[in-house]
Amino acid sequence: MITKPKGTTDITGNDALLWEYVNSVVSNIMTAYNYEYIRTPIFEMSELYHRSVGENSDIVRKETYDFKDKGNRNLTLRPEGTAGVVRSYLENKLYASPDIKKYYYNGTMYRYERPQTGRLREFTQFGVEVIGSNDPIIDAEVISLQYHLLEALHINNLQVNINTLGDEESRANYKEALLKYLKPHINELCEDCKERFKTNPLRILDCKIDANSEILKNAPKTINYLTKDAKDRFEKVLRYLDLLEVDYEVNPRIVRGLDYYDHTVFEIVSLDKEETSQSVLGGGGRYNKLIKELGNKDTYGIGFACGIDRIVNMMKEIELYKNVQKEIDCYVMYVSEEEKLHAIEIVQNLRLNGVVTETDSLNKGLKGQFKEADRLNAKFLIILNNEDLKKGLVNVKDNHTKEEEKVDIDEIVEYIIGNL
Ligand code: AMP
């Protein structure tokens, strides 16, 4: 038997119901915040990720799915959403108008990671990218959008861990201080961090292996190396988050894995979940340098991404979602060929009016059809028989109260909609 590739999942049954529910909440809340849906390709030119995510990031060094197509082009399955959205913004010259662009996406991402619970090779993220404004009101909006969306899904005890990397000058000051501090300890760090010391020292701070070492606990904090402007900016972000009633904690260890971040960086966790790298539901940050780096247009950007696989895993532990079941509005029952012809029309009429309707296609007898209707949790049964049909009537049974009524065949749609 052919099995699915390692690190991928099939989403079926009740999990699929939860996925659909998450997708609908995502699109409703994104719309309320006035974000526009964007869809970019699942593969891009490899160079895009080398130049945005960064040659020295873990993602580009170890985790991308790279391949050559038949035209010998170097392509990469997207490992994250920001680079593609920024590429699209630049390619479509959307900078020509001074408007702010607020996008949201929802799609699969690919990273060659070691699969475990909550860590897959193909996973799905929804996220936003806001391009064109550097006002801290947007930092706060993006963070609160993510926070309130997870709250709407009844994920409790949420906390945003937030930090700032500051502007270019702050980052340079900080990097110098960090290198100076780490140099005497370099041999005590893990092999990856020894490499990061040369290539991407900020990443040492969120290393999962060295996470509890005293060296990292006592490392200099970005907050102490900020320019006045960067400090004032961060304070505004926090003040706005207070107004928006977002629970946050300033955590100097948050630096995020990708090269393109500056100023605000954040992750969101549920404190109900034991702290592991998989308990992080989402994260993001500002990337004011990225758009210039990719397209020589000096404009601002900020975004976040949340993993739906992890969100659904968490929802499955919540009482509210434990017994989610598929339900339909109507099950139409018939036996003879003549009744079937009426059934076809009635089913179609109900469906075209948005009533979730099913009928038999397995030649089951009435007993079997009653069973099937129960399995589908049908609210109403429409039971057709020739005698009533001749009088223009159908039997409708409320499957919960078990009450039955004869209804005029021409009024069946109105009757069902009125009683749902
Ligand atoms: P990142 O793009 O690494 O900042 O990740 C943002 C969010 O995407 C994480 O908090 C996870 O919820 C999700 N995520 C990232 N990598 C994976 C993965 N390999 N498998 C499942 N979810 C992931």
Side-chain angles (χ1 to χ4, degrees):
M1 194 181 51
I2 300 171
T3 57
K4 61 187 178 321
K6 202 171 164 188
T8 64
T9 48
D10 297 317
I11 296 148
T12 59
N14 280 14
D15 283 8
L17 293 179
L18 293 182
W19 271 79
E20 280 191 304
Y21 180 63
V22 172
N23 284 335
S24 69
V25 170
V26 168
S27 70
N28 287 339
I29 292 187
M30 293 295 181
T31 307
Y33 280 73
N34 195 30
Y35 283 67
E36 202 178 302
Y37 177 65
I38 185 168
R39 212 185 107 119
T40 59
I42 285 180
F43 56 86
E44 295 270 3
M45 305 302 287
S46 301
E47 194 195 346
L48 177 68
Y49 300 111
H50 287 248
R51 284 188 34 204
S52 58
V53 179
E55 303 279 0
N56 296 319
S57 62
D58 281 1
I59 291 184
V60 166
R61 279 178 52 226
K62 299 188 256 179
E63 296 172 2
T64 49
Y65 279 88
D66 303 307
F67 61 100
K68 275 189 195 291
D69 70 3
K70 293 189 168 56
N72 216 26
R73 296 172 195 91
N74 291 312
L75 299 169
T76 295
L77 293 184
R78 65 180 178 203
E80 56 92 55
T82 305
V85 172
V86 169
R87 194 246 340 111
S88 163
Y89 171 87
L90 290 164
E91 191 169 341
N92 294 300
K93 298 194 174 47
L94 295 178
Y95 46 80
S97 74
D99 310 337
I100 176 170
K101 296 278 180 259
K102 305 207 301 183
Y103 294 115
Y104 84 92
Y105 59 82
N106 184 347
T108 47
M109 307 291 159
Y110 300 84
R111 294 184 197 167
Y112 193 79
E113 304 208 61
R114 201 147 45 84
Q116 47 192 292
T117 317
R119 175 160 299 165
L120 295 156
R121 291 183 175 170
E122 181 188 67
F123 57 98
T124 302
Q125 288 182 334
F126 66 83
V128 306
E129 309 297 341
V130 181
I131 305 178
S133 169
N134 193 34
D135 193 311
I137 194 178
I138 290 295
D139 302 43
E141 173 177 302
V142 159
I143 294 169
S144 85
L145 163 53
Q146 182 183 35
Y147 185 86
H148 291 127
L149 203 152
L150 293 173
E151 249 187 356
L153 291 168
H154 300 279
I155 295 179
N156 289 323
N157 243 330
L158 292 167
Q159 181 178 291
V160 173
N161 293 319
I162 187 169
N163 189 25
T164 180
L165 304 173
D167 48 25
E168 223 172 342
E169 191 184 331
S170 321
R171 264 187 88 138
N173 291 342
Y174 178 70
K175 195 169 160 187
E176 197 184 314
L178 182 67
L179 288 173
K180 201 163 148 203
Y181 168 81
L182 287 174
K183 203 163 180 199
H185 302 292
I186 182 98
N187 287 327
E188 298 156 59
L189 298 174
C190 76
E191 287 312 305
D192 274 352
C193 282
K194 283 183 189 140
E195 188 62 30
R196 288 177 187 134
F197 183 82
K198 290 180 244 156
T199 57
N200 194 357
L202 256 65
R203 267 310 303 275
I204 295 176
L205 295 178
D206 66 1
C207 171
K208 302 293 176 279
I209 300 169
D210 288 328
N212 295 318
S213 79
E214 288 300 310
I215 305 168
L216 295 197
K217 281 187 187 152
N218 298 325
K221 299 179 170 48
T222 54
I223 302 256
N224 298 328
Y225 293 84
L226 300 177
T227 59
K228 178 160 185 328
D229 282 357
K231 189 161 181 274
D232 289 350
R233 188 180 191 290
F234 189 52
E235 277 166 8
K236 279 191 180 158
V237 174
L238 300 185
R239 206 177 317 143
Y240 299 164
L241 286 176
D242 288 331
L243 286 174
L244 293 165
E245 298 186 351
V246 170
D247 266 324
Y248 65 81
E249 190 168 282
V250 177
N251 179 340
R253 293 278 294 276
I254 305 284
V255 290
R256 310 279 301 145
L258 315 185
D259 278 1
Y260 51 57
Y261 289 114
D262 54 11
H263 287 292
T264 313
V265 281
F266 55 92
E267 287 182 353
I268 189 161
V269 294
S270 167
L271 300 176
D272 283 352
K273 193 98 184 154
E274 195 189 326
E275 196 187 330
T276 60
S277 55
Q278 290 104 34
S279 62
V280 183
L281 294 172
R286 210 165 242 294
Y287 47 81
N288 286 350
K289 291 280 153 313
L290 176 66
I291 305 171
K292 180 131 198 230
E293 171 72 31
L294 285 179
N296 213 18
K297 294 290 163 206
D298 214 354
T299 187
Y300 310 102
I302 183 167
F304 76 70
C306 262
I308 302 188
D309 305 80
R310 282 186 202 174
I311 291 173
V312 169
N313 277 347
M314 203 164 276
M315 286 165 77
K316 281 158 68 175
E317 288 169 22
I318 300 174
E319 212 51 50
L320 176 73
Y321 298 113
K322 280 204 172 135
N323 294 314
V324 283
Q325 274 182 335
K326 192 169 167 50
E327 279 181 5
I328 67 166
D329 297 326
C330 257
Y331 191 87
V332 180
M333 296 161 64
Y334 64 88
V335 180
S336 70
E337 182 64 21
E338 210 178 323
E339 289 159 3
K340 187 175 187 175
L341 298 180
H342 284 284
I344 290 171
E345 274 183 344
I346 293 172
V347 168
Q348 183 71 349
N349 223 343
L350 287 163
R351 287 177 176 168
L352 291 180
N353 282 284
V355 180
V356 185
T357 308
E358 192 49 282
T359 191
D360 176 60
S361 55
L362 294 172
N363 279 316
K364 287 188 176 165
L366 274 189
K367 205 169 155 211
Q369 293 185 43
F370 273 113
K371 261 197 182 159
E372 182 63 4
D374 284 342
R375 195 185 67 81
L376 294 170
N377 291 308
K379 293 192 198 90
F380 287 99
L381 312 180
I382 298 180
I383 310 154
L384 305 183
N385 68 63
N386 280 330
E387 239 169 81
D388 285 329
L389 285 170
K390 276 188 202 127
K391 295 182 215 148
L393 296 173
V394 294
N395 292 302
V396 182
K397 182 170 180 181
D398 182 318
N399 209 20
H400 298 306
T401 63
K402 305 293 175 200
E403 279 169 27
E404 261 187 79
E405 219 178 314
K406 290 204 196 296
V407 178
D408 193 305
I409 196 164
D410 295 328
E411 284 164 17
I412 188 69
V413 174
E414 288 75 12
Y415 178 89
I416 297 289
I417 290 177
N419 286 288
L420 274 177

